[in-house]
C-alpha cells in the first residue's frame, strides 16, 4: 500500500523542495517484537506506507521539513512521533508502540498477537488476501499446511484417503491443480505424478512463518491461479525480537492404530554484526506417526442389472438396480514420516541493498499395508441375455497391497533489492524440485471362484451387503479354497524441476497522484518426467495353504461393519513379495508375464518454458487507490512419449515427440477505497489462467488393431488451450480495535476452455497422418478436448473478535467464524453434461471457533464444515460425489513459565470410528458407496521450550 504525497509543508517549499528519506523500524514497546503490517502515515503530506519484514518502513522523496509519523496497528492504540527530514539525507527513526489498550500484556502476545499481525498485513495489502501466521495456525490443531489453510474463508480441503490428513486445497471452488503455489517466492514443483496439484501434507505447518492466500491477482503475480495464489513463507531472523532457540517435543496417538508416534522440532534464529545486518533463521522437524483405518471401496464402476447404453440415464423400474463389479473392504496400516528443514539468510549490505538466500526441504514417506477382500466380476462380458451375469464368472479375493511412496519437495532461492534514487530493483533466481518415488508397490490376491453373479443389499449406508449363497459364505472362510490370483509389482517415479529467474523495477515519480510505475520479466523452465515400469505379474499354480501367505482373520467390527471377521494374508509375506515371487519365478513355480516389457507406455518427458513480462502502475485520488496493468505470458511446450500399436501378436512401442506454444494477455485492475483507517472497500477485475496437465498435452498414442478392417486409437492433444478466466471481486472489510474484523466479499468467475483436472472431455476426431499410415482401415480416434464455459460465483462472510474489554476471565474469550456460499456450473463439452458443478467445489464451506487466552491459558474449539462436491463424472449420467464433512478440533496450551508451555490437541473429537472421514458415493444422494474411509480421532500432546 503506497500513497503519493498530497501536500508539501511550507518549510519544505522554502528549502527549494530538496528531498530526503524517512527510514525506521516499528516495534512493540512491551515485547520488543517487530510489528509487520502497520499503516504508517506522514501526516503533513498524506503519504502512507506499511511496515515490512522486521518492522521496517521507508518513505522516499520526502521534501525537507518537519513531519509527524502516525502509526495505526490493530490491537494497539494509534501512536504519533515527530521526525525531521533534511535534503539529501536519511532520517532514521525508531518507533516503539506503547500498549495503551489494556493493562494486560496478553493482548499483544500468543495467539492474539499472531491474529493481530495477520489482520494488519491483510488490511494494508494492495489486493484481496487472507493471512495466517505460524502462531495463528498453531492455535488450531493442524498438522500440515493444508489443514491450516482450511480456516481461510473460501478454502476447502481434500483429505488423503488412507491417512485421513488434509492433502489438497481448493479455493473458491477451484481444484488445487487450478491454483498457484509458492514457497519463499518460488513456484512449487509438482510431486503429484499426473496432475498440477500440490500435495500440502508434505509441508508441516510449524515449519512456516506465514501463509498468504491471494484471491485477487495483480499484474506482477503469475498468470496461473484461477482460484488464487498461495504463498508459503519460512520467515526471517529480522522478524525476531531477540535470539531464538526453541524446541518442541510431541507425542501422537490414533484410536485405531493404538500406538504412540512422536514429533521433534527445533528453531534457531539470531542476528549478527555490529548493526545486526546479518540474520540467520533455521528450523527442522521430524514427525513419525501411525494411523490405522478401514476403506470400503468400489474400485471400478457401478453397472445396471439390466443392460443398457452407459450414456443414457438408468431406468430403475422392473427390479433394476446398480451393481459394483469390483467391490471390497479392507483395513490399512499406515506409517507416515515427515522430515522438514529450512534456512533463511538475510543480509543488509547497506542502506539501499538487501540480499537473501532461502532454502527449504520437505519429505513425506508413506508406508502402507492394506488387507481385505474384493468381489470381482470378469468384465470381458458382463451381460448375458441382457442381464448382469459375467460370462467369465465372479471371484472372491483375499487381497493385500504393500506400498512405499516418497514425496520430496525442495526449493532454493537467492535474490535481493536495491534502491537507487527514484528506482527500486528486485532480482531473484531459484530452483525447485518435486520428486515422487514408489520403489515398492505390490498387490497380491488369492482367489476363490464364486458359484454365480453377486448382487447387493444397500440398506446399510456405508456397507453394501453381498448376497452370497450359504455354500459361498462358508467357502470364503476356508483358506484351502484359495489359489494365487491377480498380482503385480510396479515401479513409478516422477520428477519436476523448475528453474526460475525474475527481475523487477519500480519507479517512484514523486508525483502528487502517481505512486509508482513497475515492470518486470520472468523466465521459468519446468522439466517433468514420468517413468512407469511393469516389474512382475506372476502366473502359475500356488495354493494359499502352505504358501506362507496365510494370515488368519481380520475383525472389521471396529467400524460397525456387517462383514464380521474375514480372511487376510500374512503381512510379513506381503512385504517380501518381491523376493518371494522372484524366487518362485527362478524355481519355475511361477512365470513372469511382464518379462521383457519393463517400461509402461504412459512414461514421458516434457519441457515447459514460460516467458513473462508485465507493466503496472498505482494512482491515488483522495481515498481511492487504482492499481492496474497487463501481463503477457508466452509458453513453449515439448514432450517425448510413446506410440503403442496393439495387435493379436503383441505390442509394438515407438518413441513420439510433440510440441505446442501459445501466448496469453492478462489485463488486471484493482481499486481500493480507504475512507478511514478501519474501513477498506475493494473491487477487482482481472484475468488468470490454468494450464492443462502434462499428461493431456503429451501426444502419446495408443492404437489397437481390432480386426482387418477397423482400428481404435486414442491420442493426447498438445494443442489443448489453457483455461482462461475473467474474475470479478467486490468486498468490504471493517477492522475492529479489539483485534477483529467483519468482512463480506462477492466474487464471480467466467472461465473459457475449462478442463476438469482428472477427466478432460474426450471425443472423436480425425488425423490424416494416421489414415495415410493405415490405408483401408476405418479408424475411430478419440482425443482430449477443452470444455466450453464454466462459471463460479458466491459470497464470503467472516467475523472475528477478541473480547478484551470484558472484565475478569471473560476478557480472555474470542470468536472466529467464516462461511462461503457458492454456486458452480460447467459445460464440459460432453453430451448431456452442460450444467454440472466443478470438481471439489462444495456449495458451502466454513469454520466457527471459540478461543480463549488469559492467565497463561490458550485454548480453542474449532468446528469446520463443508458441503458435498462433485468428485468425478460417472456413467449412466450418475456422477460421483464426496459427501458433506465436518470436524470438531480442540487445543489447550498452558504456559508453565514465560519460556515453557505444555499442550494437548484433539483432532476430530467427535469421530468414534463409526462415521467416515471420507465418504465418496455414486450419486449425490449417497446410496451407493464408492470410497468410504474410517480413521478415528487423533490426539497429540507435547511441550515447547524456548531459550
Amino acid at each position: 500500500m503506497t500513497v503519493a504525497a498530497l501536500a508539501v509543508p511550507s518549510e519544505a517549499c522554502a528549502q527549494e523542495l530538496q528531498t530526503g528519506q524517512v527510514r525506521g523500524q516499528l516495534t512493540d514497546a512491551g515485547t520488543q517484537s517487530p510489528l509487520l503490517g502497520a499503516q504508517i502515515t506522514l501526516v503533513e503530506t498524506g503519504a502512507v506506507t506499511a511496515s515490512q519484514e522486521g518492522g521496517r518502513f521507508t518513505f522516499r522523496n520526502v521534501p525537507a521539513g518537519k513531519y509527524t509519523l502516525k502509526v495505526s496497528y490493530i490491537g494497539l492504540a494509534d501512536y504519533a512521533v515527530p521526525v525531521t527530514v533534511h535534503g539529501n539525507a536519511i532520517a532514521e527513526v525508531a518507533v516503539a508502540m506503547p500498549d495503551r489498550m489494556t493493562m494486560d500484556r496478553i493482548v499483544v502476545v500468543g495467539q492474539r498477537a499472531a491474529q493481530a499481525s495477520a489482520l494488519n498485513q491483510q488490511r494494508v495489502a494492495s489486493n484481496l488476501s487472507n493471512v495466517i501466521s505460524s502462531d495463528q495456525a498453531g492455535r488450531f490443531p493442524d498438522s500440515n499446511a493444508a489443514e491450516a489453510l482450511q480456516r481461510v474463508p473460501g478454502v476447502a480441503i481434500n483429505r488423503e484417503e488412507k491417512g485421513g490428513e488434509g492433502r489438497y486445497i481448493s479455493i473458491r471452488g477451484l481444484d488445487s491443480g487450478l491454483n498457484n503455489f509458492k514457497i519463499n517466492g518460488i513456484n512449487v514443483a509438482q510431486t503429484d505424478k499426473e496432475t498440477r496439484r500440490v500435495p500440502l501434507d508434505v509441508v508441516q505447518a510449524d515449519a512456516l512463518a506465514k501463509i498468504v492466500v491471494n484471491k485477487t491477482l495483480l499484474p506482477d503475480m503469475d498468470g496461473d491461479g484461477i482460484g488464487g495464489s498461495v504463498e508459503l513463507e519460512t520467515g526471517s531472523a529480522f522478524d525476531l525480537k531477540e535470539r531464538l532457540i526453541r524446541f518442541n517435543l510431541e507425542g501422537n496417538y490414533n484410536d485405531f492404530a493404538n500406538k504412540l508416534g512422536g514429533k521433534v522440532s527445533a528453531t534457531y534464529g539470531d542476528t549478527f554484526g555490529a548493526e545486526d545486518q546479518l540474520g540467520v533463521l533455521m528450523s527442522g522437524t521430524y514427525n513419525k506417526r501411525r494411523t490405522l483405518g478401514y476403506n470400503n471401496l468400489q474400485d471400478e464402476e457401478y453397472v445396471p442389472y439390466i443392460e443398457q447404453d452407459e450414456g443414457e440415464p438408468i431406468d430403475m423400474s422392473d427390479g433394476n438396480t446398480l451393481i459394483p463389479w469390483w467391490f471390497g473392504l479392507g483395513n490399512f496400516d499406515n506409517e507416515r514420516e515427515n522430515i522438514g528443514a529450512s534456512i533463511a539468510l538475510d543480509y543488509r549490505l547497506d542502506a539501499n541493498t538487501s540480499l537473501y538466500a532461502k532454502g527449504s526441504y520437505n519429505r513425506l514417506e508413506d508406508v502402507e499395508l492394506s488387507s481385505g477382500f474384493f468381489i470381482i466380476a470378469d468384465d470381458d462380458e458382463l451381460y448375458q441375455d441382457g442381464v448382469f451375469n459375467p460370462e467369465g464368472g465372479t471371484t472372491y479375493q483375499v487381497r493385500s497391497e504393500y506400498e512405499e511412496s516418497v514425496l520430496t519437495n525442495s526449493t532454493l532461492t537467492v535474490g535481493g533489492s536495491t534502491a537507487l534514487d527514484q528506482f527500486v530493483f528486485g532480482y531473484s533466481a531459484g530452483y525447485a524440485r518435486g520428486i515422487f518415488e514408489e520403489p515398492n508397490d505390490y498387490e497380491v490376491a488369492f482367489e476363490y471362484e464364486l458359484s454365480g453373479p453377486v448382487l447387493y443389499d444397500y440398506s446399510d449406508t456405508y456397507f453394501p451387503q453381498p448376497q452370497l449363497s450359504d455354500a459361498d459364505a462358508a467357502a470364503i472362510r476356508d483358506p484351502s479354497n484359495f489359489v494365487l490370483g491377480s498380482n503385480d509389482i510396479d515401479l513409478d517415479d516422477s520428477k519436476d524441476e523448475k528453474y526460475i529467474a525474475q527481475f523487477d523495477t519500480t519507479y517512484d515519480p514523486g508525483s502528487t497522484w502517481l505512486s509508482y510505475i513497475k515492470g518486470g520479466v520472468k523466465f521459468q523452465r519446468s522439466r517433468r518426467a514420468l517413468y512407469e515400469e511393469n516389474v512382475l505379474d506372476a502366473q502359475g499354480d500356488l495354493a494359499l495353504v502352505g504358501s506362507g501367505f496365510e494370515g488368519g482373520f481380520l475383525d472389521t467390527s471396529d467400524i460397525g461393519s456387517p462383514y464380521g471377521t474375514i480372511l487376510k494374508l500374512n503381512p510379513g509375506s506381503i512385504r517380501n513379495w518381491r523376493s518371494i515371487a522372484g524366487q518362485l519365478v527362478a524355481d519355475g513355480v511361477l512365470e513372469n508375464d511382464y518379462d521383457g516389457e519393463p517400461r509402461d507406455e504412459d512414461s514421458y518427458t516434457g519441457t515447459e518454458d514460460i516467458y513473462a513480462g508485465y507493466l503496472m502502475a498505482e494512482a491515488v485520488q483522495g481515498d481511492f487507490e487504482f492499481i492496474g496493468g497487463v501481463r503477457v505470458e508466452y509458453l513453449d511446450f515439448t514432450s517425448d512419449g510413446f506410440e503403442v500399436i496393439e495387435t493379436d501378436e503383441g505390442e509394438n512401442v515407438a518413441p513420439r515427440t510433440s510440441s505446442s506454444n501459445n501466448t496469453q494477455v492478462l489485463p488486471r485492475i484493482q481499486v481500493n477505497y480507504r475512507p478511514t483507517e478501519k474501513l477498506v472497500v475493494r473491487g477487482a477485475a482481472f484475468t488468470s489462467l490454468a494450464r492443462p496437465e502434462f499428461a493431456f498435452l503429451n501426444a502419446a498414442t495408443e492404437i489397437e488393431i481390432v480386426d482387418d478392417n477397423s482400428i481404435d486409437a486414442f491420442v493426447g492433444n498438445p494443442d489443448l488451450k489453457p483455461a482462461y478466466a475473467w474474475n470479478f471481486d467486490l468486498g468490504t472489510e471493517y477492522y475492529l480495535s479489539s483485534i477483529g474484523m467483519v468482512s463480506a466479499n462477492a466474487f464471480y468467475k467466467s472461465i473459457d476452455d475449462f478442463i476438469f483436472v482428472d477427466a478432460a472431455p474426450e471425443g472423436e476426431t480425425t488425423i490424416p497422418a494416421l489414415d495415410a499410415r493405415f490405408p483401408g482401415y476405418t479408424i475411430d480416434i478419440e482425443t482430449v478436448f477443452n470444455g466450453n464455459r464454466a462459471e463460479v460465483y458466491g459470497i464470503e462472510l467472516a467475523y472475528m473478535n477478541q473480547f478484551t474489554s470484558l472484565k475478569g476471565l471473560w476478557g480472555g474469550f474470542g470468536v472466529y467464524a467464516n462461511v462461503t456460499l457458492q454456486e458452480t456450473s460447467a459445460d464440459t463439452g460432453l453430451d448431456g453434461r452442460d450444467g454440472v458443478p466443478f470438481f471439489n467445489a462444495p456449495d458451502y464451506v466454513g469454520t466457527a471457533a471459540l478461543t480463549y487466552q488469559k492467565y497463561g491459558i490458550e485454548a480453542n474449539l474449532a468446528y469446520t464444515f463443508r458441503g458435498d462436491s462433485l468428485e468425478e463424472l460417472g456413467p449412466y449420467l450418475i456422477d460421483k460425489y464426496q459427501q458433506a464433512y465436518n470436524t470438531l478440533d480442540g487445543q489447550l496450551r498452558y504456559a508453565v513459565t514465560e519460556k515453557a508451555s505444555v499442550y494437548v490437541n484433539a483432532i476430530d473429537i467427535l469421530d468414534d470410528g463409526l462415521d467416515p472421514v471420507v465418504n465418496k458415493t455414486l450419486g449425490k444422494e449417497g446410496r451407493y458407496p464408492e470410497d468410504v474411509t474410517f480413521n478415528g480421532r487423533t490426539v497429540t500432546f507435547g511441550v515447547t521450550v524456548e531459550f
Side-chain angles (χ1 to χ4, degrees):
M1 181 180 75
T2 307
V3 180
L6 303 180
V8 178
S10 58
E11 185 174 331
C13 294
Q15 297 184 40
E16 298 181 353
L17 297 180
Q18 287 186 325
T19 62
Q21 293 185 29
V22 177
R23 191 170 62 200
Q25 182 182 28
L26 180 67
T27 59
D28 183 320
T31 65
Q32 288 79 55
S33 298
L35 297 177
L36 280 71
Q39 183 173 305
I40 305 171
T41 305
L42 207 57
V43 175
E44 287 77 5
T45 68
V48 181
T49 192
S51 55
Q52 304 296 324
E53 180 182 85
R56 296 186 177 273
F57 61 91
T58 302
F59 290 94
R60 305 184 188 280
N61 300 314
V62 180
K66 294 182 178 181
Y67 296 89
T68 302
L69 283 178
K70 180 185 176 183
V71 182
S72 171
Y73 188 86
I74 298 168
L76 299 174
D78 290 352
Y79 188 61
V81 295
V83 61
T84 300
V85 178
H86 299 284
N88 301 315
I90 299 174
E92 296 278 2
V93 57
V95 183
M97 292 278 291
D99 178 5
R100 294 192 226 162
M101 296 199 65
T102 175
M103 296 300 292
D104 191 347
R105 269 188 57 196
I106 204 166
V107 74
V108 289
V109 298
Q111 64 185 26
R112 286 182 168 176
Q115 183 171 309
S117 177
L119 288 176
N120 278 285
Q121 293 176 68
Q122 180 175 315
R123 177 180 61 157
V124 300
S126 296
N127 63 322
L128 174 61
S129 62
N130 295 107
V131 181
I132 54 178
S133 74
S134 58
D135 287 341
Q136 187 181 5
R139 70 186 174 118
F140 295 105
D142 302 317
S143 61
N144 61 53
E147 299 276 359
L149 280 163
Q150 73 175 323
R151 316 298 178 182
V152 173
V155 173
I157 68 170
N158 286 8
R159 296 186 178 275
E160 199 275 331
E161 293 173 359
K162 300 297 180 62
E165 299 175 357
R167 167 158 285 191
Y168 303 110
I169 69 162
S170 63
I171 305 175
R172 291 178 165 180
L174 274 299
D175 185 88
S176 171
L178 306 176
N179 301 311
N180 181 271
F181 296 87
K182 294 185 176 183
I183 296 180
N184 294 326
I186 293 295
N187 294 79
V188 177
Q190 271 73 42
T191 53
D192 208 58
K193 65 178 184 178
E194 294 178 346
T195 75
R196 294 183 187 264
R197 287 174 172 155
V198 175
L200 293 177
D201 55 345
V202 180
V203 183
Q204 295 288 281
D206 54 8
L208 301 171
K210 183 171 66 174
I211 306 176
V212 180
V213 180
N214 296 297
K215 294 177 178 174
T216 64
L217 303 182
L218 301 175
D220 58 351
M221 298 177 178
D222 286 348
D224 52 324
I226 293 179
S229 170
V230 177
E231 301 177 12
L232 310 175
E233 300 182 18
T234 57
S236 166
F238 291 149
D239 292 331
L240 304 174
K241 62 180 180 181
E242 58 188 10
R243 176 186 297 165
L244 173 65
I245 302 175
R246 181 172 61 213
F247 292 97
N248 186 76
L249 296 175
E250 180 178 289
N252 54 69
Y253 176 84
N254 172 262
D255 277 354
F256 286 154
N258 199 27
K259 293 182 181 179
L260 283 175
K263 181 173 79 170
V264 58
S265 61
T267 302
Y268 170 81
D270 202 359
T271 55
F272 302 88
E275 298 180 353
D276 292 326
Q277 67 269 29
L278 173 63
V280 179
L281 181 65
M282 299 181 291
S283 69
T285 182
Y286 175 82
N287 185 6
K288 189 170 186 177
R289 58 228 181 264
R290 294 288 294 271
T291 63
L292 189 145
Y294 296 84
N295 184 231
N296 200 9
L297 181 66
Q298 189 288 113
D299 203 37
E300 288 294 340
E301 300 288 352
Y302 279 88
V303 296
Y305 177 71
I306 300 174
E307 186 177 14
Q308 68 168 75
D309 185 343
E310 71 173 33
E312 299 295 328
I314 292 178
D315 180 1
M316 298 299 287
S317 62
D318 297 327
N320 200 9
T321 185
L322 288 176
I323 302 166
W325 62 269
W326 185 310
F327 172 80
L329 173 115
N331 81 332
F332 51 86
D333 187 351
N334 275 56
E335 185 173 272
R336 295 168 69 84
E337 178 184 85
N338 281 89
I339 299 174
S342 66
I343 184 170
L345 304 176
D346 295 276
Y347 184 67
R348 296 191 178 107
L349 184 64
D350 54 38
N352 296 312
T353 298
S354 297
L355 304 174
Y356 64 84
K358 295 186 177 184
S360 70
Y361 173 85
N362 294 282
R363 181 180 186 271
L364 169 63
E365 181 176 2
D366 190 351
V367 179
E368 176 189 318
L369 176 66
S370 61
S371 303
F373 76 87
F374 272 105
I375 297 174
I376 303 174
D378 189 319
D379 65 329
D380 283 346
E381 191 63 55
L382 289 174
Y383 294 94
Q384 297 185 66
D385 299 324
V387 297
F388 181 79
N389 187 12
E391 186 176 39
T394 301
T395 60
Y396 179 98
Q397 291 190 346
V398 181
R399 189 182 184 92
S400 285
E401 180 176 0
Y402 177 74
E403 185 177 68
E404 297 175 5
S405 57
V406 181
L407 290 78
T408 306
N409 198 297
S410 53
T411 64
L412 175 64
T413 177
V414 296
S417 65
T418 297
L420 182 62
D421 297 326
Q422 294 173 272
F423 292 90
V424 177
F425 303 101
Y427 35 86
S428 65
Y431 170 77
R433 182 175 65 179
I435 298 176
F436 173 85
E437 300 171 286
E438 203 170 58
N440 293 303
D441 182 5
Y442 315 152
E443 294 182 15
V444 183
F446 285 78
E447 64 185 24
Y448 163 75
E449 186 79 21
L450 295 171
S451 59
V454 177
L455 305 183
Y456 291 82
D457 176 0
Y458 297 103
S459 57
D460 190 306
T461 304
Y462 304 132
F463 305 103
Q465 183 69 45
Q467 304 300 291
L468 302 178
S469 69
D470 291 341
D472 283 341
I476 63 175
R477 297 181 58 81
D478 183 354
S480 66
N481 291 320
F482 289 83
V483 296
L484 182 66
S486 61
N487 65 91
D488 66 22
I489 298 177
D490 295 327
L491 175 65
D492 294 332
D493 288 322
S494 70
K495 179 188 287 188
D496 181 22
E497 292 183 291
K498 296 184 187 297
Y499 304 84
I500 303 167
Q502 184 165 341
F503 183 81
D504 304 281
T505 301
T506 304
Y507 171 66
D508 181 356
S511 167
T512 59
W513 65 275
L514 185 60
S515 299
Y516 65 81
I517 301 172
K518 184 178 182 181
V521 293
K522 179 179 180 179
F523 170 74
Q524 175 178 296
R525 166 165 289 180
S526 179
R527 289 178 174 170
R528 194 165 181 181
L530 171 66
Y531 180 82
E532 295 187 346
E533 179 179 324
N534 304 312
V535 178
L536 181 138
D537 178 7
Q539 299 293 319
D541 295 327
L542 183 67
L544 175 57
V545 174
S547 67
F549 282 86
E550 292 178 75
F553 288 87
L554 170 68
D555 185 358
T556 66
S557 62
D558 283 351
I559 54 174
S561 158
Y563 308 132
T565 57
I566 58 176
L567 281 177
K568 71 173 185 178
L569 301 181
N570 186 322
S573 297
I574 298 301
R575 288 189 178 95
N576 292 305
W577 173 242
R578 182 188 290 268
S579 60
I580 292 173
Q583 188 62 50
L584 290 171
V585 170
D587 293 343
V589 177
L590 300 177
E591 182 178 334
N592 184 5
D593 263 12
Y594 283 156
D595 191 26
E597 302 174 10
R599 181 188 287 265
D600 191 289
E601 56 267 20
D602 292 332
S603 302
Y604 70 86
T605 60
T607 300
E608 180 183 77
D609 290 339
I610 299 175
Y611 303 84
Y614 71 90
L615 183 65
M616 61 184 291
E618 179 186 87
V620 177
Q621 290 292 325
D623 296 325
F624 286 90
E625 301 168 358
F626 301 89
I627 307 166
V630 65
R631 184 179 188 90
V632 179
E633 294 193 351
Y634 171 78
L635 178 142
D636 185 66
F637 178 84
T638 303
S639 176
D640 294 314
F642 294 93
E643 178 185 83
V644 180
I645 301 177
E646 299 180 13
T647 67
D648 291 339
E649 286 75 31
E651 293 184 352
N652 180 44
V653 180
R656 181 177 175 85
T657 299
S658 60
S659 62
S660 62
N661 59 75
N662 60 74
T663 301
Q664 303 295 324
V665 179
L666 302 162
R668 296 171 173 177
I669 185 168
Q670 174 89 35
V671 180
N672 301 320
Y673 174 58
R674 302 178 187 268
T676 71
E677 291 175 344
K678 294 183 177 181
L679 179 63
V680 184
V681 181
R682 304 183 191 271
F686 63 99
T687 54
S688 54
L689 56 86
R691 295 185 172 91
E693 288 90 345
F694 274 52
F696 291 160
L697 295 170
N698 175 33
T701 303
E702 297 178 18
I703 300 172
E704 180 184 1
I705 300 179
V706 180
D707 53 39
D708 293 339
N709 300 311
S710 60
I711 290 177
D712 292 337
F714 180 84
V715 298
N717 186 359
D719 295 321
L720 280 175
K721 302 175 184 177
Y724 188 93
W726 272 100
N727 311 268
F728 301 92
D729 276 75
L730 180 63
T732 300
E733 305 158 13
Y734 184 78
Y735 293 87
L736 307 175
S737 299
S738 54
I739 313 180
M741 179 194 70
V742 182
S743 68
N745 292 280
F747 58 90
Y748 173 79
K749 299 176 182 292
S750 177
I751 309 168
D752 289 325
D753 298 316
F754 185 80
I755 296 178
F756 285 122
V757 172
D758 280 331
E762 297 177 5
E764 295 183 356
T765 187
T766 59
I767 300 179
L770 280 182
D771 291 332
R773 288 175 57 189
F774 298 95
Y777 283 90
T778 299
I779 306 178
D780 292 329
I781 304 173
E782 288 194 349
T783 189
V784 181
F785 291 104
N786 287 98
N788 295 326
R789 173 166 292 185
E791 291 182 312
V792 180
Y793 57 92
I795 58 172
E796 294 174 350
L797 306 174
Y799 170 72
M800 63 181 67
N801 200 5
Q802 301 294 324
F803 302 113
T804 55
S805 61
L806 298 179
K807 301 297 184 181
L809 65 87
W810 302 106
F813 282 101
V815 295
Y816 175 88
N818 67 70
V819 64
T820 299
L821 307 174
Q822 62 190 19
E823 292 288 337
T824 66
S825 178
D827 178 0
T828 66
L830 299 172
D831 290 340
R833 303 292 191 168
D834 57 356
V836 303
F838 280 162
F839 290 141
N840 303 324
D843 292 340
Y844 62 87
V845 58
T847 296
L850 177 66
T851 67
Y852 189 85
Q853 181 179 342
K854 206 166 189 180
Y855 309 125
I857 298 172
E858 291 189 39
N860 73 78
L861 194 64
Y863 177 72
T864 302
F865 53 92
R866 56 166 288 169
D868 53 40
S869 58
L870 177 66
E871 179 76 14
E872 184 179 337
L873 298 180
Y876 310 104
L877 302 184
I878 305 177
D879 297 327
K880 301 177 183 180
Y881 278 80
Q882 179 162 307
Q883 296 297 315
Y885 174 75
N886 57 75
T887 179
L888 181 67
D889 306 326
Q891 181 186 53
L892 176 64
R893 179 183 290 270
Y894 178 69
V896 181
T897 69
E898 187 176 348
K899 297 289 188 178
S901 62
V902 294
Y903 64 89
V904 60
N905 302 332
I907 303 169
D908 214 352
I909 296 171
L910 302 180
D911 186 355
D912 58 2
L914 300 179
D915 293 311
V917 66
V918 176
N919 183 16
K920 299 177 182 179
T921 65
L922 183 68
K924 195 171 184 178
E925 299 76 15
R927 182 182 180 189
Y928 303 103
E930 281 276 344
D931 189 349
V932 185
T933 303
F934 302 82
N935 284 105
R937 65 178 65 86
T938 299
V939 176
T940 64
F941 48 90
V943 57
T944 302
V945 180
E946 294 184 9
F947 300 93

